[in-house]
Amino acid sequence: QFLFIMFTSADIIGLTVGSIFGVALNLYAINFMDNTPTENFPRWRWKLSLVYQLGLLPIAVGLGLHTNSCTQPYLVQGWDSFNDPIWERVYLYLLFGSQARDCHNYKNKLIFIHHIVVMANCLATFFVPGGIGLFVLGTYILEFGSAFFNFRVLYPKSAIVKYSYYSVMPVTNVLGIILGLYMANETPISPPLKSFYVLSIVGVCIGRQRHMFKDMGWIGSKQHTQ
């Protein structure tokens, strides 16, 4: 089976509301938060990302796990295996919106490409027969790692932030790749979609890790003030 479509009009509304919510946060921040340019974005952009990564997204993940339990079937099976998939869907709406709110900014090409890839993966997850739980947990692990990158951008002179970033980022990248490969091996997804997911995850994780190595001075030039 190539596609297992669980995409409804309610999901169109959910993705739209998630995107509008993200844009509304941007508009609030433009008027009431710090607009100092920081890494090709206003400073508030990095702070709002933390609101998603350490506030909204983990709440949706936690409620989803509370409702459905983190079992092997939860990880590898499809939408019809959930007790109630509402929080997994809310997670996708929020994650999609958190990426869409940045897509007006093309200056940071790596972040722009990353966001497009994440949004495409969110949409694809409505059309697969399995691996929903793996996608939710895997992407949140990566978002958790990204939170430490955002702290690094906001507080480049903090040694605690720097070494926390250097410690957490590679762990989340490895976990993300492991879960992606587990998804490819254990879920009933068609080979083209498996390839799409795995290539997306591996590509994103390599890009994240490469950026960290640049920040450490191992390759290229350092990105942040030490």
Side-chain angles (χ1 to χ4, degrees):
Q1 184 177 14
F2 185 73
L3 291 178
F4 185 81
I5 300 176
M6 289 294 290
F7 191 65
T8 67
S9 58
D11 294 318
I12 296 175
I13 295 172
L15 293 170
T16 302
V17 170
S19 300
I20 292 173
F21 176 71
V23 172
L25 286 179
N26 285 359
L27 293 174
Y28 170 85
I30 288 170
N31 290 285
F32 299 104
M33 295 178 69
D34 188 353
N35 281 277
T36 303
T38 308
E39 298 288 337
N40 295 318
F41 286 94
R43 189 172 178 83
W44 56 256
R45 181 266 171 194
W46 305 100
K47 293 183 176 180
L48 287 187
S49 292
L50 290 170
V51 171
Y52 278 96
Q53 292 158 343
L54 300 180
L56 300 174
L57 294 178
I59 289 173
V61 172
L63 289 171
L65 292 174
H66 176 74
T67 302
N68 297 294
S69 299
C70 187
T71 61
Q72 203 263 353
Y74 170 81
L75 294 175
V76 303
Q77 294 181 10
W79 291 107
D80 57 347
S81 66
F82 288 78
N83 294 327
D84 184 349
I86 181 61
W87 291 111
E88 286 72 23
R89 298 179 105 85
V90 168
Y91 174 85
L92 292 176
Y93 304 154
L94 287 170
L95 182 59
F96 185 92
S98 73
Q99 310 300 299
R101 73 185 184 88
D102 278 343
C103 285
H104 65 284
N105 191 319
Y106 299 87
K107 294 180 181 178
N108 193 319
K109 293 182 174 60
L110 179 62
I111 290 179
F112 177 76
I113 293 170
H114 167 268
H115 286 2
I116 295 299
V117 170
V118 173
M119 291 167 67
N121 274 267
C122 287
L123 291 174
T125 304
F126 291 102
F127 297 86
V128 294
I132 311 302
L134 280 170
F135 179 82
V136 170
L137 290 180
T139 53
Y140 180 66
I141 287 171
L142 296 180
E143 287 298 320
F144 181 75
S146 293
F148 287 83
F149 167 71
N150 293 337
F151 279 125
R152 176 72 171 134
V153 171
L154 288 167
Y155 307 105
K157 296 183 179 180
S158 169
I160 293 175
V161 168
K162 177 172 70 173
Y163 290 112
S164 295
Y165 169 52
Y166 293 167
S167 300
V168 173
M169 179 58 71
V171 172
T172 58
N173 288 336
V174 170
L175 287 175
I177 291 174
I178 289 173
L179 290 178
L181 294 176
Y182 182 75
M183 174 190 283
N185 190 56
E186 298 292 333
T187 60
I189 302 175
S190 66
L193 281 174
K194 284 183 179 181
S195 298
F196 172 69
Y197 277 119
V198 171
L199 290 174
S200 296
I201 293 167
V202 171
V204 165
C205 288
I206 289 175
R208 288 154 51 98
Q209 194 60 45
R210 183 176 181 275
H211 193 282
M212 194 194 85
F213 287 152
K214 286 181 64 178
D215 187 66
M216 296 173 73
W218 289 10
I219 59 175
S221 58
K222 292 189 177 182
Q223 187 75 11
H224 307 293
T225 303
Q226 300 296 307

